[in-house]
Amino acid sequence: EVQLVESGGGLVKPGGSLRLSCAASGFSFSSYSMNWVRQAPGKGLEWVSYFTSSSSYIYYADSVKGRFTISRDNAKNSLYLQMNSLRAEDTAVYYCARDHSVVAHAFDIWGQGTMVTVSS
Amino acid sequence: DIQLTQSPSSVSASVGDRVTITCRASQGISSWLAWYQQKPGKAPKLLIYAASSLQSGVPSRFSGSGSGTDFTLTISSLQPEDFATYYCQQANSFPFTFGPGTKVDIK
């Protein structure tokens, strides 16, 4: 079964750090570009970051640039998001999502999400 | 950044109704548009990619059309399991952006 499972969310104080993980299974992880997408409580979807399969390109939303770092370990079939200098507005469910196998940048597989709460 | 607007923001409909949701981009994005369905507490699910291509496993009552700046998602005959929020997303350029969503609920 093709699956993505996020972990690492939790409660953190403003200014703190957190590292999210996304474990992939059931497909050739190294062949796919991957993304992080978040959703604040009761709000819409916001794309956060992208990492190509070839590890050649990384992109970030302006709202997280300079604070978040995306990485991947193809040997471990895992995607990561290191989040530093966290703010209240970073509170959200964070999803990892796979780029579509046919058309780039549509997200065809999503994890169940992990909740990040930034509060004092 | 490319902005996406959706209309309506919400729609009340009955089982069997035809429902159409519109997504408009602030600049041309060719056919680089996807549609997602999201139910409460669940991850989004891809319905349509490349504006009109039906994702594998998605019922054929869902269809997408459009190119450039104007796109539509149509549900030909609404089923009980289709009550959800629907989002469009542009895949043309970074940063990828989503529309604000359209909630489809029961009349």
Side-chain angles (χ1 to χ4, degrees):
Chain A
E1 179 190 5
V2 174
Q3 197 172 8
L4 297 170
V5 178
E6 302 93 337
S7 60
L11 175 63
V12 61
K13 290 181 169 55
S17 298
L18 212 54
R19 188 194 195 209
L20 305 183
S21 299
C22 170
S25 59
F27 65 98
S28 178
F29 177 74
S30 61
S31 299
Y32 288 85
S33 299
M34 297 293 296
N35 301 267
W36 287 99
V37 177
R38 69 183 181 183
Q39 186 170 36
K43 303 296 185 183
L45 300 165
E46 179 188 17
W47 171 81
V48 172
S49 186
Y50 167 87
F51 201 138
T52 55
S53 57
S54 61
S55 301
S56 299
Y57 298 100
I58 289 175
Y59 294 92
Y60 297 99
D62 285 347
S63 58
V64 306
K65 200 172 295 181
R67 300 187 299 122
F68 289 13
T69 302
I70 190 172
S71 62
R72 64 190 295 163
D73 185 336
N74 289 337
K76 295 184 177 180
N77 292 331
S78 292
L79 180 74
Y80 306 100
L81 187 68
Q82 177 67 43
M83 304 186 296
N84 298 331
S85 303
L86 282 161
R87 307 166 180 167
E89 54 265 35
D90 295 318
T91 294
V93 175
Y94 285 73
Y95 298 100
C96 62
R98 189 183 81 170
D99 248 33
H100 199 279
S101 56
V102 174
V103 174
H105 314 322
F107 310 141
D108 64 347
I109 302 295
W110 295 66
Q112 86 288 353
T114 188
M115 183 71 204
V116 172
T117 303
V118 184
S119 175
S120 55
Chain B
D1 298 1
I2 297 173
Q3 308 301 318
L4 298 178
T5 57
Q6 287 183 235
S7 61
S9 58
S10 65
V11 57
S12 294
S14 300
V15 172
D17 284 354
R18 181 182 184 89
V19 173
T20 298
I21 299 168
T22 297
C23 178
R24 176 164 290 175
S26 60
Q27 63 190 77
I29 58 171
S30 186
S31 295
W32 294 100
L33 189 98
W35 289 97
Y36 301 87
Q37 175 193 69
Q38 187 179 33
K39 297 180 179 179
K42 300 294 187 183
K45 174 187 175 182
L46 178 66
L47 300 175
I48 301 287
Y49 62 93
S52 60
S53 295
L54 190 68
Q55 172 67 1
S56 176
V58 174
S60 58
R61 63 180 179 273
F62 291 93
S63 63
S65 65
S67 67
T69 60
D70 294 315
F71 302 86
T72 60
L73 172 71
T74 300
I75 310 172
S76 60
S77 177
L78 200 65
Q79 298 301 300
E81 60 268 30
D82 300 337
F83 292 98
T85 299
Y86 293 84
Y87 295 93
C88 56
Q89 175 237 331
Q90 66 84 12
N92 179 77
S93 60
F94 294 98
F96 304 137
T97 47
F98 290 86
T102 295
K103 185 175 182 180
V104 178
D105 60 22
I106 301 171
K107 182 183 286 185

